[in-house]
């Protein structure tokens, strides 16, 4: 097993995903093509509208997913955290949003096709990916409710509580306490 696949397995086991991996799963990760890559703060990892065939899993740092609007503004959608999966497009077509580094960001990257074929060989990886998709859907549903029905104060409180809970699950926060990047966005 390569150093990158060992590190990848550790993140999957200890992050928000908390996957139970056996030796077969861990040895299989080497064939998925994951590499560990570092991005400096403010680097653009993917751009909305461009073709993209990579899937990312956050190793460390803070990223930002946003949609760029035609008037030059943008809507922030999420801040992916350690162990969370980022796929910036549907299975076919252009990227639906942009993904940037807010701080130095370490990401595991692999071709989307390799992940798709790898799911058949690892039920743990398939379960983790399905869990990540379900978690992202729940978060986006709450964000839609925030935008449509909650006041600014309640939206902010909800966002901070959600972020705190996610950071705790990723072992990146203490109860009732976490640090945000000093210069976000």
């Amino acid at each position: 097993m390569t150093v990158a696949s060992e590190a990848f397995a550790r993140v999957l086991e200890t992050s928000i995903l908390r996957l139970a991996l056996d030796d077969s799963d861990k040895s299989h990760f080497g064939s998925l093509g994951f590499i560990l890559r570092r991005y400096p703060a403010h680097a653009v990892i993917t751009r909305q509208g461009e073709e993209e065939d990579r899937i990312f899993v956050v190793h460390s740092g803070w990223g930002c997913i946003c949609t760029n609007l035609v008037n030059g503004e943008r809507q922030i959608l999420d801040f992916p955290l350690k162990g969370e999966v980022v796929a910036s497009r549907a299975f076919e077509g252009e990227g639906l949003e942009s993904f940037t580094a807010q701080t130095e960001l370490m990401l595991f990257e692999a071709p989307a096709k390799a992940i798709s074929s790898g799911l058949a060989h690892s039920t743990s990886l398939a379960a983790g990916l399905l869990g990540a998709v379900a978690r992202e859907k729940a978060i986006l549903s709450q964000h839609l409710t925030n935008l449509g029905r909650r006041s600014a104060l309640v939206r902010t409180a909800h966002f901070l509580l959600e972020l705190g809970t996610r950071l705790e699950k990723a072992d990146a926060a203490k109860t009732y306490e976490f640090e945000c990047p000093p210069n976000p966005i």
Side-chain angles (χ1 to χ4, degrees), residues 116-181:
S116 296
S117 65
L119 294 178
H121 293 56
S122 172
T123 56
S124 296
L125 185 59
L129 190 57
L130 287 174
V133 168
R135 187 174 28 267
E136 184 175 328
K137 181 184 180 300
I139 289 168
L140 288 176
S141 293
Q142 288 300 311
H143 289 190
L144 282 172
T145 303
N146 279 343
L147 292 172
R149 292 309 214 187
R150 294 181 178 138
S151 69
L153 180 62
V154 174
R155 277 195 307 265
T156 303
H158 184 275
F159 172 70
L160 292 172
L161 290 169
E162 171 200 303
L163 195 55
T165 300
R166 289 169 56 204
L167 284 163
E168 279 184 58
K169 288 182 180 179
D171 292 331
K174 300 175 186 172
T175 304
Y176 306 117
E177 181 181 330
F178 61 89
E179 290 186 33
C180 290

Side-chain angles (χ1 to χ4, degrees), residues 4-67:
S5 57
E6 285 179 27
F8 181 63
R10 273 194 310 279
V11 165
L12 295 179
E13 291 173 319
T14 62
S15 70
I16 196 167
L17 296 175
R18 301 268 188 238
L19 297 183
L21 303 173
D22 61 24
D23 290 337
S24 171
D25 292 323
K26 292 176 185 178
S27 66
H28 179 64
F29 291 152
S31 68
L32 296 178
F34 274 102
I35 59 168
L36 184 58
R37 191 157 174 211
R38 179 186 102 38
Y39 291 90
H42 309 293
V44 176
I45 299 156
T46 65
R47 286 190 198 286
Q48 178 179 330
E50 292 182 357
E51 293 287 327
E52 182 57 60
D53 72 340
R54 296 174 293 170
I55 289 182
F56 307 92
V57 176
V58 178
H59 176 274
S60 61
W62 285 70
C64 178
I65 297 173
C66 67
T67 299

